[in-house]
Amino acid sequence: MRQVAVVGVGQTRCRLRREDVSFPGLVREAVTAALDDAGIRLADVDAVVFGSSPEYFEGVNHPEKWASGAFGGYLKPHMRIHTGGTVGASTGIAAFYHVASGMYDLVLAVAGDKLSEGSVQAGLSTVYDPILGRPFACGAPSAVALQCRIYMERSGCTSLHGARVAVKNRLHALNNPYAQLRLPDITVEQVLSSPVIASPLRLLDCCPASDGACAMVLACGDRARRLCPRPAWVRGASAVAEGVHYARREWDRPLALHEAARRAYAQAGVSDPRRQVDVAEVYDAFSYQEMIWYEGLGLAEEGRGWRLIEDGVTTLGGELPVNPSGGVLSTNTIGATAMMRQAEAALQVMGRAQARQVDGARLAVAHGWGGAIQFHTVMVLSSEAP
Amino acid sequence: MGGEPVGPAVLEGEIHLAYRWTTGPATGAFLTALRDRGVILGLRCPSCRRVLCPPLEVCPRCGTETAGEVECGPGGRVTAWTLVEAPTPWTPWEAPYALISVRLDGASTDLVHAVTEGARRVRTGARVKAVFRTVGRRVGDILDLEGFAVE
């Protein structure tokens, strides 16, 4: 397999509603930023991979048709990826495959959503099984609430731990100019007294909805070295699915996450993630989930994810900072979200994360989840080439 | 087994969702000019000099951001046509109506729209002229340009 690195990333400003841009314009903004960051022009790009989540969000079926002129797909090899919430990460991984395979040297990955165009939770509810699931569909929070309940009852995690994740990531967000939510005065008490959405989830345990996009430029080894003094080398990447209806689905121990992590770590030569990983960006759409993902990613022992929160391990300045960007709890476009995890992880190992930089970060992990918590992606990025 | 099905084989349902689509600067200017001035706007690509009508924010061919509004039409020439006999439930015209691709005067690209006057006379190369909604009834959507009359 060829060496592949991220050599440029671009993120848009994310807001609850961006009325200054259309959906294609939003995607274009991220593309322009990533090309500028990589120091290349669109003409240099060999192929484009575009990702966005369910069509019901923008109400435009087949959004790659609408936006291809804006994201640079004109007369270039081009494909669209769609894997629910993981789509941004799957798009980055597909771009990685494009380069790793030897087919293309310089590939643009771009993903985004403009969630304010429709009703996110109503759109998400159309994802549920139309025959057996629709009456119970209540967007994402109600389903994730069940997952969090299972986790709490198994592990001893309490609402205080959830609240501490919610506070940690919102305070991290203050260091990230691209983060949407700005809650400098947020406290654990505030989280615990915010309105219940679906117990145990309270309003401040939940992510916001955002209009935003993200893009990355991936290059083969030679091009990466020429373009970038310190590229973010993709050392491992895996996107794994499990089904919805079958026995032994364990939402608090997702098999697909374990398998994705196992594969990505094996590729990257990571044998002890808790010791080797310097920083992680995980898909914390809801506060409790972050601790479940710690365990799935091997950053904590099973049932002990909440310990990392209790001990302050994952706070910026701690031993293993998680979501120094502010995470999904501070910005969630859905379409771009999982790519933002990869882009932020890339910035960390490039040493370019500015105020949110983890000192000496050399190995970073980016995670995404989607569907009925059945899709998981893991990417391992390093400052060192394989 | 055979015979009568033992339970419901088909469940009927519908999906209703509301949207607020951001038009963006190019389409937004196009619709505003249509509504407020009864003018069809194009945007010029500074690289290839083509006038895109309907306008796009980015010239797909060059990847360049468009700049410079150009008024196109109201006359134009039909570049392709079809007489639609089987419309969808939401089609605003009664069948048969003519769907056309029209190259407006001053534009470098084609606009897809309908013929509202003289549908039976439409041919490739025929001259057509824009028909706008009456002032006061315009709302800022694409049907503020009601359609085209065959000359």
Side-chain angles (χ1 to χ4, degrees):
Chain A
M1 195 169 74
R2 291 208 302 175
Q3 293 181 330
V4 183
V6 176
V7 296
V9 303
Q11 299 181 55
T12 64
R13 284 186 299 111
C14 293
R15 296 286 178 274
L16 182 60
R17 182 157 173 84
R18 287 275 311 265
E19 266 190 9
D20 58 322
V21 282
S22 62
F23 176 69
L26 187 70
V27 165
R28 165 83 177 175
E29 205 174 291
V31 166
T32 304
L35 295 175
D36 289 350
D37 194 49
I40 60 168
R41 294 170 309 128
L42 193 55
D44 301 324
V45 170
D46 296 327
V48 184
V49 187
F50 169 78
S52 78
S53 43
E55 279 83 355
Y56 285 121
F57 289 162
E58 280 86 22
V60 175
N61 206 345
H62 204 0
E64 67 280 17
K65 170 192 136 306
W66 193 24
S68 69
F71 65 65
Y74 185 79
L75 292 186
K76 285 187 194 297
H78 149 247
M79 66 165 63
R80 185 236 176 153
I81 303 287
H82 174 15
T83 58
T86 50
V87 65
S90 304
T91 305
I93 291 173
F96 163 70
Y97 293 160
H98 273 61
V99 181
S101 67
M103 291 284 287
Y104 305 102
D105 290 343
L106 205 55
V107 174
L108 175 69
V110 56
D113 265 314
K114 208 162 183 309
L115 295 183
S116 74
E117 309 275 280
S119 162
V120 185
Q121 299 311 331
L124 274 174
S125 296
T126 65
V127 171
Y128 286 67
D129 178 332
I131 297 162
L132 300 179
R134 272 313 146 76
F136 318 107
C138 190
S142 60
V144 172
L146 295 177
Q147 180 195 26
C148 297
R149 179 80 67 201
I150 294 167
Y151 178 66
M152 292 170 87
E153 293 184 350
R154 172 175 68 85
S155 70
C157 168
T158 68
S159 54
L160 188 61
H161 298 113
R164 288 180 67 170
V165 173
V167 170
K168 169 182 78 79
N169 291 354
R170 268 54 173 269
L171 294 180
H172 283 174
L174 301 175
N175 295 319
N176 180 2
Y178 297 103
Q180 176 177 322
L181 279 191
R182 303 270 149 193
L183 302 172
D185 303 319
I186 189 172
T187 61
V188 163
E189 294 69 37
Q190 237 179 45
V191 178
L192 293 175
S193 59
S194 63
V196 174
I197 302 296
S199 69
L201 299 176
R202 293 175 177 273
L203 181 65
L204 288 170
D205 289 311
C206 304
C207 57
S210 316
D211 287 359
C214 182
M216 302 196 297
V217 178
L218 286 86
C220 63
D222 297 348
R223 296 291 290 276
R225 286 185 187 87
R226 260 183 282 152
L227 283 168
C228 190
R230 191 174 163 181
W233 297 98
V234 183
R235 300 291 300 267
S238 183
V240 173
E242 56 179 296
V244 178
H245 297 296
Y246 61 79
R248 294 200 72 251
R249 272 213 75 199
E250 296 179 82
W251 274 0
D252 60 331
R253 281 176 282 213
L255 295 173
L257 173 55
H258 282 264
E259 184 59 19
R262 189 189 66 75
R263 286 170 181 268
Y265 288 147
Q267 291 165 26
V270 172
S271 53
D272 184 355
R274 173 68 178 85
R275 299 273 165 275
Q276 291 173 264
V277 173
D278 297 312
V279 53
E281 282 281 336
V282 304
Y283 203 121
D284 57 323
F286 300 91
S287 60
Y288 298 87
Q289 285 189 311
E290 182 165 305
M291 299 173 279
I292 302 174
W293 309 149
Y294 293 166
E295 297 176 23
L297 288 164
L299 305 177
E301 281 172 47
E302 203 172 282
R304 292 287 176 272
W306 50 269
R307 278 270 181 83
L308 301 192
I309 288 298
E310 220 166 77
D311 299 342
V313 172
T314 54
T315 305
L316 189 60
E319 211 179 299
L320 170 48
V322 176
N323 289 335
S325 66
V328 187
L329 281 169
S330 303
T331 314
N332 193 4
T333 71
I334 303 188
T337 296
M339 188 183 290
M340 285 176 177
R341 308 281 69 73
Q342 297 173 346
E344 285 289 331
L347 287 173
Q348 289 289 345
V349 299
M350 289 164 138
R352 293 177 43 213
Q354 298 177 327
R356 57 197 187 283
Q357 180 67 47
V358 172
D359 283 343
R362 298 166 74 86
L363 195 73
V365 171
H367 159 256
W369 74 267
I373 323 180
Q374 91 244 52
F375 300 131
H376 285 271
T377 59
V378 176
M379 185 181 270
V380 180
L381 294 124
S382 172
S383 57
E384 284 161 47
Chain B
M1 275 186 34
E4 296 289 309
V6 294
V10 175
L11 290 178
E12 292 186 358
E14 286 183 24
I15 294 174
H16 297 282
L17 296 169
Y19 291 96
R20 295 186 302 157
W21 292 296
T22 311
T23 56
T27 309
F30 174 81
L31 294 174
T32 304
L34 212 50
R35 183 191 61 195
D36 298 348
R37 297 191 282 137
V39 159
I40 304 170
L41 273 192
L43 276 174
R44 191 181 291 282
C45 168
S47 301
C48 65
R49 309 297 300 163
R50 293 183 311 152
V51 175
L52 309 183
C53 181
L56 295 170
E57 290 165 44
V58 177
C59 172
R61 184 186 286 181
C62 307
T64 312
E65 264 141 63
T66 51
E69 294 179 354
V70 178
E71 288 188 16
C72 299
R77 198 170 288 282
V78 174
T79 54
W81 62 280
T82 174
L83 214 53
V84 180
E85 301 279 359
T88 54
W90 53 84
T91 301
W93 307 283
E94 285 193 12
Y97 67 92
L99 188 73
I100 54 167
S101 172
V102 56
R103 179 73 53 95
L104 289 169
D105 298 339
S108 317
T109 60
D110 293 353
L111 175 79
V112 170
H113 216 292
V115 166
T116 45
E117 292 171 33
R120 295 278 178 191
R121 288 184 288 118
V122 70
R123 293 291 177 269
T124 299
R127 289 290 303 175
V128 290
K129 190 161 186 267
V131 180
F132 299 96
R133 264 188 187 135
T134 322
V135 176
R137 292 185 51 233
R138 295 181 191 159
V139 295
D141 67 20
I142 183 62
L143 293 182
D144 281 348
L145 170 58
E146 274 185 347
F148 287 86
V150 178
E151 286 182 352

